[in-house]
Amino acid sequence: MFKSKKDSRQAVRFSRNGFRLRGNGRLNLAKIGDVRVRWSRSLPSAPSSVTVIRDPSGRYFASFVVQVEPEPLAPVTSEVGIDLGLTLYAVLSDGRVIDNPRFLRRAERRLRKAQQVLSRKVKGSRNRGKARLKVARAHARVADARRNWCHQSASRLVRDNQAVYLEDLAVSGLARTRMAKSVHDAAWGMFRRVLEDKAARYGRHVGIVSRWLPSSQTCSVCWVVDGTKPLHVRIWRCEGCGTEHDRDLNASRVILAAGQAERLNAPGGPVSPGVEIPHRARPVERGTHPKAQPVTTGSQAGIPAL
């Protein structure tokens, strides 16, 4: 049955008493019987439920819910800030870059031809159904390649760095601009979710800095905010210290400094990037009090007096 108007997949879920794993690798479903399964991996533990999903291209998937223990990786000292973009998918604070694969752009010609063939078919005919499947399969290949690339890239970042810092991009807002197709093709939201999931599993940290951080306007050397710059300006010189910056590399270094400062001072108030912190902020107990508290002036609630 359809679960959502926005999701064209069909799915049915079987609880613990509704399915069984046979010894020959087959899946037995209640009121259906044995189903042949092409296993992508072995199950790490006994599943508690299974969801059978049919996607628009006609493929069936069995998704099991299992208990997985954390697999922390050996600690490393490196941390990295990432500035996401469209020309280059990501620029890292250590100078490395990740090219934008542009899966949808590369497949546009094939998708356009399949869509043209579909538009010429008579509605309700069998040939139209076949053409619709060809369009769905072409889109599925693009989505699968993008998802696989996100997992591989996120795994490399999590394996090589103890902490990864990103900017909280307004993807839904950017998807309503003239760059909408490129923004959707980049899949920044998927990349962030995959990165956070892998970091939680392997004992790494992912920090998200505010989208209002002027990362493209702040000098990563002297921390002077140098003002707004149009998108075509890729290299600029700081008016405070005279350092020449690559726009994306400088932004990734500002994101790294801001993320490290927020992580260090998470229990307390915010801090400007690059400012030396003389002590670690102490956590403050917050909650309701049994008695009315006197009104205090000259101090901020929740911040301990030093």
Side-chain angles (χ1 to χ4, degrees):
M1 62 178 296
F2 289 100
K3 301 293 184 181
S4 171
K5 293 181 180 179
K6 298 181 181 179
D7 192 349
S8 56
R9 297 179 305 174
Q10 294 175 307
V12 59
R13 184 178 182 183
F14 296 88
S15 60
R16 189 183 299 274
N17 295 329
F19 73 98
R20 185 182 305 170
L21 295 177
R22 298 293 192 186
N24 55 2
R26 297 199 173 202
L27 174 64
N28 180 270
L29 301 174
K31 298 184 179 180
I32 296 177
D34 287 351
V35 177
R36 289 184 299 175
V37 180
R38 184 180 299 172
W39 297 92
S40 61
R41 72 194 74 176
S42 58
L43 297 178
S45 61
S48 59
S49 67
V50 61
T51 302
V52 179
I53 304 169
R54 182 181 184 270
D55 69 357
S57 62
R59 300 179 301 179
Y60 287 87
F61 298 90
S63 175
F64 295 88
V65 176
V66 295
Q67 186 74 23
V68 179
E69 297 296 331
E71 303 173 9
L73 297 173
V76 294
T77 58
S78 60
E79 298 185 358
V80 69
I82 300 177
D83 180 61
L84 297 176
L86 295 177
T87 304
L88 294 173
Y89 191 88
V91 177
L92 280 58
S93 57
D94 56 9
R96 292 178 294 167
V97 298
I98 301 176
D99 292 329
N100 191 350
R102 295 183 177 87
F103 294 105
L104 180 61
R105 294 289 186 182
R106 290 190 301 180
E108 269 188 323
R109 187 169 178 269
R110 182 172 63 251
L111 292 171
R112 182 169 60 251
K113 286 188 174 182
Q115 190 66 47
Q116 288 174 348
V117 173
L118 173 63
S119 66
R120 298 189 184 106
K121 302 301 180 183
V122 179
K123 291 186 178 180
S125 64
R126 294 185 64 181
N127 286 336
R128 184 178 178 87
K130 296 177 183 177
R132 187 201 63 80
L133 278 179
K134 289 183 179 180
V135 173
R137 287 167 183 163
H139 279 284
R141 282 194 293 268
V142 174
D144 291 345
R146 182 187 296 115
R147 189 180 304 108
N148 181 63
W149 182 88
C150 284
H151 277 275
Q152 291 181 349
S153 301
S155 295
R156 284 194 295 268
L157 289 170
V158 168
R159 182 178 61 249
D160 297 340
N161 300 279
Q162 187 66 31
V164 179
Y165 301 98
L166 300 170
E167 192 174 7
D168 184 20
L169 297 174
V171 179
S172 58
L174 292 171
R176 293 193 294 268
T177 65
R178 60 184 178 86
M179 302 181 294
K181 183 179 290 188
S182 297
V183 171
H184 283 299
D185 193 14
W188 292 327
M190 179 195 297
F191 178 75
R192 172 178 165 178
R193 289 192 300 270
V194 171
L195 190 65
E196 290 176 335
D197 291 344
K198 290 184 180 295
R201 180 176 180 180
Y202 297 117
R204 302 302 203 208
H205 174 76
V206 173
I208 308 298
V209 302
S210 172
R211 68 182 60 171
W212 306 112
L213 175 73
S215 57
S216 297
Q217 307 173 23
T218 306
C219 174
S220 59
V221 177
C222 64
W223 305 106
V224 170
V225 179
D226 210 6
T228 59
K229 302 168 185 63
L231 286 176
H232 70 269
V233 176
R234 311 313 302 174
I235 297 177
W236 57 280
R237 186 179 299 275
C238 175
E239 295 181 357
C241 63
T243 306
E244 189 174 77
H245 294 290
D246 177 271
R247 182 190 184 110
D248 299 330
L249 179 59
N250 175 78
S252 64
R253 289 172 177 171
V254 172
I255 291 172
L256 172 63
Q260 290 174 335
E262 289 182 7
R263 184 183 183 188
L264 185 62
N265 290 269
V271 66
S272 299
V275 177
E276 184 179 359
I277 305 164
H279 68 282
R280 185 179 180 86
R282 297 191 298 272
V284 181
E285 183 179 358
R286 298 176 177 85
T288 57
H289 296 272
K291 298 180 180 179
Q293 300 296 308
V295 178
T296 58
T297 59
S299 62
Q300 184 180 358
I303 304 298
L306 300 178

